[in-house]
């Protein structure tokens, strides 16, 4: 079984983290539990959840699995009362995105949790390391949801060099074992995967969203350039990023006419927030990464974890054989 040092840090068996997918009204608890039970790290988001809902989510997840999991928060938006609820639940891992970790790190460590910080630039990674986080996830622009501008291939090795010896996960553009092998070659100790787990049996997003992922090409996942007109802005110390979504009429029209979207910002924001609460967000902005082009089926999460690791091990063996064959061919006769 493929294992790296970050597995010991996170308390998992294989170096895979399931990225939190929207709000729990989207991904649900079963996905995170299935991923954790398979030996990877399942995650649940807290976006737009109340403190009592977050506490209920964490307790339900503990009823479903006795393995480590992560509770995730962002600074788009950030609610200190939700953070208090997270701390009260003392999750094995706390993951944070879209903003500076600052003094949150000490509070997370005080309850014995591991702090996993997502970054999209080298500078963000350096500041996170200085703040004392335990693991850094370097997220490339290929990712779904809110992502930066630098590709995973370029970002990961720079972050690895900048924060060594902190373990780094690669995020964005990874949906199969070849991607995991590539991430390890770049110096990462594991991967953070979102889109591939969207198209899983346990994920509670719409079947239409899953089908759209399976049928999409990578170029169908585009940046939502008018995002500031439809979603709440980052809170203080938040990162400015633009999300990636599958093309829909809503996305295409907003991207083509951002001035018109700005003029209707309040109405558009109400429409989007309502869709997130009633389960129809996929009709407007189905946040999805460019790895949609690699996703060809909907499968159980445990099967996906096993498949990812098996493919990664096979890829690493094939690369070793390739180098060995070349060395044999180059050897003097």
């Amino acid at each position: 079984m493929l294992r790296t040092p970050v597995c010991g840090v996170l308390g998992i068996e294989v170096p895979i983290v399931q990225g939190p997918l929207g709000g729990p009204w989207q991904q649900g608890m079963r996905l995170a539990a299935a991923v954790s039970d398979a030996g990877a790290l399942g995650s649940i988001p807290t976006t737009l959840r109340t403190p009592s809902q977050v506490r209920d989510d964490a307790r339900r997840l503990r009823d479903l699995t006795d393995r480590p999991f992560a509770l995730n928060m962002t600074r788009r938006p950030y609610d200190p009362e939700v953070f208090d609820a997270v701390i009260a639940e003392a999750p094995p891992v706390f993951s944070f995105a879209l903003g500076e970790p600052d003094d949150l790190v000490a509070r997370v460590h005080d309850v014995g949790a591991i702090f996993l910080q997502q970054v999209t630039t080298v500078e963000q990674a350096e500041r996170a390391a200085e703040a004392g986080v335990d693991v850094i996830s370097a997220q490339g622009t290929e990712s779904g949801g809110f992502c930066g501008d630098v590709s995973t291939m370029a970002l990961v090795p720079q972050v690895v060099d900048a924060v060594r010896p902190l373990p780094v996960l690669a995020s964005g553009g990874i949906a199969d074992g070849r991607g995991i092998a590539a991430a390890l070659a770049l110096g990462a100790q594991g991967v953070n995967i979102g889109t591939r787990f969207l198209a899983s049996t346990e994920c509670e997003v719409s079947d239409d969203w899953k089908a759209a992922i399976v049928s999409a090409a990578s170029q169908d996942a585009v940046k939502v350039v008018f995002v500031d007109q439809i979603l709440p802005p980052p809170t203080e110390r938040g990162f400015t990023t633009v999300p990636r979504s599958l093309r829909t009429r809503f996305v295409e029209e907003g991207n083509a006419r951002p001035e018109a979207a700005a003029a209707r910002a309040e109405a558009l924001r109400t429409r989007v927030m309502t869709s997130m609460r009633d389960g129809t967000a996929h009709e407007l902005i189905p946040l999805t990464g460019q790895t949609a082009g690699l996703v060809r089926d909907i499968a159980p999460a445990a099967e996906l974890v096993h498949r990812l690791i098996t493919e990664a091990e096979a890829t690493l063996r094939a690369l070793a054989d390739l180098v060995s064959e070349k060395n044999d061919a180059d050897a003097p006769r």
Side-chain angles (χ1 to χ4, degrees):
M1 185 70 73
L2 183 64
R3 185 175 173 85
T4 65
V6 77
C7 294
V9 176
L10 296 174
I12 55 181
E13 297 174 7
V14 295
I16 297 174
V17 174
Q18 166 246 318
L21 305 170
W25 62 90
Q26 294 178 354
Q27 78 162 60
M29 299 298 110
R30 293 189 305 120
L31 171 60
V35 170
S36 290
D37 281 344
L41 186 73
S43 304
I44 56 175
T46 62
T47 306
L48 301 181
R49 301 293 275 174
T50 66
S52 63
Q53 288 173 325
V54 168
R55 288 191 291 269
D56 288 344
D57 291 340
R59 292 166 189 176
R60 183 181 170 209
L61 186 54
R62 282 192 166 102
D63 287 339
L64 293 172
T65 182
D66 59 0
R67 305 302 299 273
F69 63 88
L71 289 181
N72 173 263
M73 286 191 70
T74 77
R75 287 205 190 272
R76 187 164 190 163
Y78 172 77
D79 184 337
E81 293 184 357
V82 168
F83 181 71
D84 290 343
V86 169
I87 291 299
E89 290 303 317
V93 178
F94 172 75
S95 63
F96 196 60
L98 306 182
E100 302 289 354
D102 297 334
D103 58 353
L104 303 183
V105 179
R107 293 188 60 192
V108 168
H109 286 165
D110 284 346
V111 297
I114 295 298
F115 200 115
L116 193 167
Q117 173 72 29
Q118 177 184 293
V119 302
T120 59
T121 70
V122 175
E123 294 75 18
Q124 292 170 8
E126 291 172 336
R127 293 196 297 272
E130 291 171 359
V133 307
D134 303 293
V135 181
I136 289 177
S137 177
Q139 184 192 44
T141 192
E142 301 94 327
S143 294
F146 287 91
C147 52
D149 298 317
V150 182
S151 74
T152 302
M153 182 71 77
L155 180 63
V156 169
Q158 293 183 74
V159 170
V160 168
D161 291 344
V163 303
R164 187 178 283 113
L166 276 185
V168 174
L169 304 174
S171 176
I174 302 166
D176 62 17
R178 293 171 297 181
I180 295 176
L184 297 178
L186 294 175
Q189 293 186 20
V191 296
N192 189 328
I193 295 177
T195 297
R196 174 62 273 199
F197 285 113
L198 267 174
S200 66
T201 305
E202 293 87 350
C203 189
E204 294 178 15
V205 302
S206 162
D207 289 342
D208 290 341
W209 190 346
K210 296 180 186 182
I213 292 171
V214 172
S215 63
S218 290
Q219 58 267 32
D220 293 324
V222 299
K223 289 292 191 80
V224 183
V225 298
F226 66 111
V227 62
D228 289 338
Q229 316 306 328
I230 58 174
L231 290 176
T235 49
E236 185 179 0
R237 303 288 283 163
F239 301 150
T240 300
T241 54
V242 176
R244 188 178 295 282
S245 165
L246 291 180
R247 299 177 191 271
T248 62
R249 176 178 293 182
F250 182 79
V251 170
E252 296 280 68
E253 290 177 352
N255 279 348
R257 301 181 62 202
E259 307 86 2
R264 301 178 54 230
E266 185 174 349
L268 292 178
R269 184 169 290 128
T270 297
R271 183 182 176 191
V272 169
M273 298 304 287
T274 299
S275 75
M276 288 185 171
R277 291 187 171 92
D278 67 16
T280 59
H282 64 281
E283 297 176 2
L284 303 179
I285 47 170
L287 302 179
T288 303
Q290 291 181 327
T291 54
L294 289 166
V295 176
R296 300 183 179 89
D297 66 349
I298 299 166
E303 178 183 325
L304 291 177
V305 171
H306 177 75
R307 185 191 304 177
L308 287 161
I309 293 300
T310 301
E311 290 173 351
E313 292 173 334
T315 300
L316 292 169
R317 285 194 298 269
L319 289 173
D321 291 343
L322 180 64
V323 172
S324 177
E325 290 173 3
K326 184 181 186 305
N327 289 340
D328 290 343
D330 292 343
R333 303 295 180 185

